[in-house]
Amino acid sequence: MKVIDVSYWQKDLNYDTAVANGVQGVIVKITEGQSIEDTWWGHVSECDTRDIPWGVYCYSHATTPEEAIAEANEVLYLLGNNKQSMGVWFDFEAPECLSCADPTGVCSAFVNAINARGIACGIYASLSTLTDIIHVNELGDYIPYWVAQYSNRCEFNDYFPNNRLAGWQYSDQCYIGDTNVDMNEWYV
């Protein structure tokens, strides 16, 4: 599946052009930390109008499990009863996250808080973060991963053959019309 991820930076995206260019799913930034992403509902409405599957991501600033749970609670509050088919994603890339005392515990806390409400949740990170910072093998093998690796192929399963690769972000330099988007292959 051809999937894009969007935020404020893609606020002027023409969704008809996106569909015409083969976009089959959208992951929408819903929060940054505990702050609402102003454009999230507009993106979701555009997807719903066109029956495009969508999910959401939280760009995390959590450095403790407690902060991660607070971020998850904000995402759950904003989603309300809206049923996203592509899940919730914990975007773990901010410098303060990468240098926190327990990155694996922070990721686990967010995922568990979302899963406890019956909603699928995964982790978005670069391959180097997953191999060098987060202890993937200490997390449940049911957790899906969305991996950023700008290369000719994603090597996630070379390192973690027993874990689920849900999506591969292979470029941050694609355009739909005049709008720059991150492009992803989606497998689930």
Side-chain angles (χ1 to χ4, degrees), residues 98-119:
L98 300 178
S99 63
C100 74
D102 184 11
T104 307
V106 169
C107 291
S108 180
F110 185 94
V111 170
N112 288 337
I114 299 293
N115 285 167
R117 294 283 287 278
I119 298 171

Side-chain angles (χ1 to χ4, degrees), residues 3-7 15 25-33 35-37 39-45 47-48 52-60 71-92 110-111 114 119-124 144 146 166 186:
V3 172
I4 58 174
D5 51 282
V6 298
S7 67
Y15 276 83
V26 179
I27 308 295
V28 179
K29 182 178 180 185
I30 190 169
T31 56
E32 179 150 342
S35 299
I36 299 169
E37 171 72 23
T39 60
W40 87 273
W41 186 247
H43 286 297
V44 166
S45 295
C47 290
D48 284 345
I52 302 170
W54 59 272
V56 297
Y57 74 93
C58 166
Y59 183 95
S60 181
E71 289 181 355
N73 286 335
E74 184 63 20
V75 169
L76 291 166
Y77 170 76
L78 292 172
L79 282 175
N81 292 324
N82 291 295
K83 299 295 181 199
Q84 75 300 326
S85 59
M86 297 183 72
V88 172
W89 296 90
F90 188 55
D91 183 341
F92 197 79
F110 185 94
V111 170
I114 299 293
I119 298 171
C121 185
I123 298 170
Y124 166 89
W146 171 22
W186 214 257

Side-chain angles (χ1 to χ4, degrees), residues 58-184:
C58 166
Y59 183 95
S60 181
H61 290 282
T63 59
T64 66
E66 293 78 17
E67 290 173 355
I69 291 168
E71 289 181 355
N73 286 335
E74 184 63 20
V75 169
L76 291 166
Y77 170 76
L78 292 172
L79 282 175
N81 292 324
N82 291 295
K83 299 295 181 199
Q84 75 300 326
S85 59
M86 297 183 72
V88 172
W89 296 90
F90 188 55
D91 183 341
F92 197 79
E93 64 179 298
E96 64 272 23
C97 294
L98 300 178
S99 63
C100 74
D102 184 11
T104 307
V106 169
C107 291
S108 180
F110 185 94
V111 170
N112 288 337
I114 299 293
N115 285 167
R117 294 283 287 278
I119 298 171
C121 185
I123 298 170
Y124 166 89
S126 69
L127 182 64
S128 61
T129 296
L130 295 168
T131 58
D132 300 340
I133 296 173
I134 299 170
H135 299 281
V136 171
N137 292 325
E138 293 178 13
L139 295 168
D141 60 5
Y142 62 89
I143 296 173
Y145 291 87
W146 171 22
V147 179
Q149 183 183 11
Y150 304 149
S151 182
N152 60 355
R153 76 179 199 69
C154 184
E155 299 170 345
F156 176 79
N157 286 127
D158 296 348
Y159 292 93
F160 307 105
N162 297 320
N163 294 87
R164 281 187 30 203
L165 176 62
W168 168 36
Q169 185 181 85
Y170 60 86
S171 178
D172 62 355
Q173 297 296 315
C174 292
Y175 283 84
I176 295 176
D178 294 332
T179 305
N180 179 250
V181 296
D182 296 341
M183 195 60 69
N184 307 271

